């Protein structure tokens, strides 16, 4: 097991080598590029009155998530402290699968009922709000189910 | 599924974390298996049997019906 003999750290190292500092720096660069792209698209495609402020706010709010995405794509998980060598055999993987399948069923149910409700009542609203709400519900549902399984096993 | 994991692990003087590291799984996985709340996959069962140098059926026994 290569990972067990390799020095591990909190932030790990990149798949292509280098220190944690290198990995974090590259992740920030990737995050900045993604955020700047998102900010640019928001300003160009949207009808904003103060484009520079809108761009800056968009970059500020998306940078942490975008940088985390860059880190997740680049990190060699075998160099992370406390990471199991075979996560697919760990109970956390079983919790994930159960929570995901349960949340999928809930999303189908809520999405179907919601669509039916809107159709019958003729309530109209922005599609963005409806889809965003459904995604938020799915994420919360998954998180609650996962935590419930975790507590049940404790 | 009942199992003798805890007794065998303690017989070796190993901690749950040590056994988890040997198997490449999380410590919570070992805790849950020992409590009988999680049935491991077949590959993990084989690795457990190899670690404790016994047959799988010596480690795990079905719940009495």
């Amino acid at each position: 097991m290569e990972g067990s003999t390799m020095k591990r750290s909190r932030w790990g190292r990149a798949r292509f080598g280098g220190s944690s500092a290198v990995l974090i720096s590259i992740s920030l660069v990737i995050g900045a590029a993604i955020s700047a792209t998102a900010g640019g698209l928001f300003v160009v495609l949207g009808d904003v009155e103060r484009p520079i402020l809108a761009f800056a706010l968009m970059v500020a709010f998306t940078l942490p998530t975008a940088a985390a995405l860059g880190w997740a794509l680049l990190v060699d998980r075998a160099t992370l402290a406390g990471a199991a060598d075979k996560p697919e055999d760990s109970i956390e993987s079983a919790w994930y699968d159960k929570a995901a399948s349960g949340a999928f069923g809930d999303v189908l149910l809520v999405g179907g009922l919601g669509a039916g409700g809107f159709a019958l009542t003729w309530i109209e609203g922005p599609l963005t709000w409806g889809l965003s709400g459904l995604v938020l519900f799915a994420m919360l549902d998954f998180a609650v189910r996962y935590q419930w399984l975790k507590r049940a096993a404790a | 599924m009942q199992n003798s994991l805890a007794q065998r692990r303690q017989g070796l003087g190993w901690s749950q974390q040590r056994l988890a590291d040997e198997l490449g799984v999380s410590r919570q996985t070992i805790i849950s298996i020992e409590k009988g709340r999680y049935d491991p996959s077949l590959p993990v069962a084989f690795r457990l049997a190899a670690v404790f140098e016994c047959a799988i059926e010596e480690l795990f026994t079905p719940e009495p019906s």
Side-chain angles (χ1 to χ4, degrees), chain A residues 1 84-92 94-95 150 152-154, chain B residues 21-26 28-29 32 35 37-38 41 43-44 47:
Chain A
M1 288 184 287
D85 291 330
K86 297 184 183 299
E88 68 278 7
D89 287 334
S90 293
I91 193 171
E92 288 83 357
W95 293 341
K150 191 176 177 180
Chain B
D21 292 341
E22 288 288 331
L23 298 173
V25 299
S26 65
Q28 182 62 54
T29 305
S32 297
K35 286 182 176 176
R37 292 178 180 170
Y38 176 60
S41 64
V44 174
R47 291 208 294 276

Side-chain angles (χ1 to χ4, degrees), chain A residues 19-37:
Chain A
S19 63
S20 294
V22 170
L23 172 61
I24 293 170
S25 302
I26 296 174
S27 301
L28 285 172
V29 170
I30 291 173
I34 294 172
S35 296
T37 304

Side-chain angles (χ1 to χ4, degrees), chain A residues 10 14 17 30 33 57-58 61 64 95-96 98 106 113 118 124 140 150:
Chain A
R10 180 183 175 89
I30 291 173
L57 284 174
M58 193 69 175
F61 280 106
W95 293 341
Y96 181 94
K98 280 185 185 174
D106 291 344
L113 288 175
F118 279 121
E124 290 185 358
L140 285 173
K150 191 176 177 180

Side-chain angles (χ1 to χ4, degrees), chain B residues 1-16 19 30-31 33-36 48 51-52 54 58-61:
Chain B
M1 193 81 81
Q2 294 176 337
N3 66 78
S4 58
L5 205 66
Q7 299 92 304
R8 288 176 185 270
R9 176 181 59 75
Q10 286 160 4
L12 289 177
W14 286 8
S15 65
Q16 291 172 327
L19 180 57
I30 303 301
I31 294 171
I33 294 173
E34 287 187 352
K35 286 182 176 176
L48 279 167
V51 164
F52 293 120
C54 64
E58 292 177 58
L59 268 179
F60 297 96
T61 49

